[in-house]
Amino acid sequence: MTESRRGRPRDTDIDERVLRAATAMLLEHGYAGLSPNEVAERAGVAKTTLYRRWPTKDHLAIAVVARLQEDDEITDTGDIRRDLTGYMVKIAAALERLRSAGRPAGDHDASAGVVAELVAAGARHDDIGRLGREVFARRNALAHALITRARERGELRPGLDPVVLLDQLAGALYYRVLITGAPIDRAYTERLVATALDGART
């Protein structure tokens, strides 16, 4: 029996060019200004090639966010307060960057901007919802492991649930962006981590 033929492997160079162009356009013009056709032109690829990979603007936007998240490293210095603060600051900066995408400098509109559009995209498309959850699951697993190691070192109380602690921290950031519209600067993020750890330490 002969082995079935597979299609040609996906060209990662095309992926990189498209996502680089889409990232620049999304951050410059916001969700409303993200045009897959213009992204294809900027990236120098055929529109049909782009749409085979990302069939809608929603799919392209969530791919951009997944790519941006890959740059957010989680460091483990052995100081859980420092490490969690550092990671939450990165999340907050990413959320603020997406919230302000496409707006003039200095515009402090409380709207959630691209963040809200991405949440809505996950509701519109089951596959985008799954992809978004997979992206967050990978990142969350690293943060859960960080918290678990701190608990094992004795920095955090025995029996502390890493999932609940991370939900308290990251959930608060998303709540401010999506619900209250309040800013999430470094000062707020530091207070958030300090408050959560007050109840989590040994």
Side-chain angles (χ1 to χ4, degrees):
M1 183 171 62
T2 59
E3 183 177 339
S4 61
R5 293 183 60 188
R6 297 183 178 181
R8 289 182 300 175
R10 182 158 168 160
D11 190 333
T12 56
D13 179 62
I14 290 177
D15 288 3
E16 177 60 25
R17 297 204 318 267
V18 168
L19 292 177
R20 188 165 56 241
T23 300
M25 184 175 291
L26 182 69
L27 295 177
E28 182 180 355
H29 300 293
Y31 189 84
L34 177 64
S35 165
N37 289 347
E38 188 174 342
V39 168
E41 183 176 345
R42 287 190 183 188
V45 304
K47 296 175 185 177
T48 52
T49 299
L50 185 149
Y51 282 110
R52 276 198 301 270
R53 288 164 162 79
W54 304 281
T56 70
K57 180 166 76 170
D58 288 343
H59 289 83
L60 186 58
I62 197 68
V64 166
V65 173
R67 181 176 185 268
L68 290 173
Q69 283 199 347
E70 292 175 357
D71 297 330
D72 291 339
E73 296 182 356
I74 301 177
T75 57
D76 187 351
T77 66
D79 181 338
I80 191 60
R81 177 169 178 167
R82 176 181 178 182
D83 295 336
L84 280 179
T85 298
Y87 184 43
M88 291 304 114
V89 165
K90 290 177 181 177
I91 293 176
L95 287 171
E96 288 288 4
R97 188 182 186 192
L98 289 174
R99 173 155 67 176
S100 63
R103 297 177 185 167
D107 184 348
H108 299 297
D109 187 341
S111 167
V114 174
V115 181
E117 293 289 355
L118 293 171
V119 172
R124 285 191 291 266
H125 305 280
D126 288 342
D127 58 337
I128 289 181
R130 286 193 300 272
L131 176 60
R133 288 189 290 274
E134 289 169 1
V135 170
F136 280 102
R138 288 194 294 271
R139 302 300 298 167
N140 290 349
L142 298 176
H144 294 157
L146 176 75
I147 296 169
T148 298
R149 289 193 293 273
R151 184 185 63 192
E152 292 170 347
R153 289 195 302 267
E155 281 193 272
L156 303 175
R157 58 180 170 78
L160 174 79
D161 188 335
V163 174
V164 172
L165 179 57
L166 183 62
D167 285 352
Q168 289 174 331
L169 295 171
L173 300 181
Y174 279 87
Y175 178 79
R176 282 173 79 88
V177 171
L178 291 167
I179 306 300
T180 70
I184 45 174
D185 55 17
R186 185 181 184 95
Y188 169 77
T189 307
E190 290 177 346
R191 293 198 308 273
L192 174 67
V193 173
T195 301
L197 290 183
D198 280 347
R201 290 189 182 276
T202 52

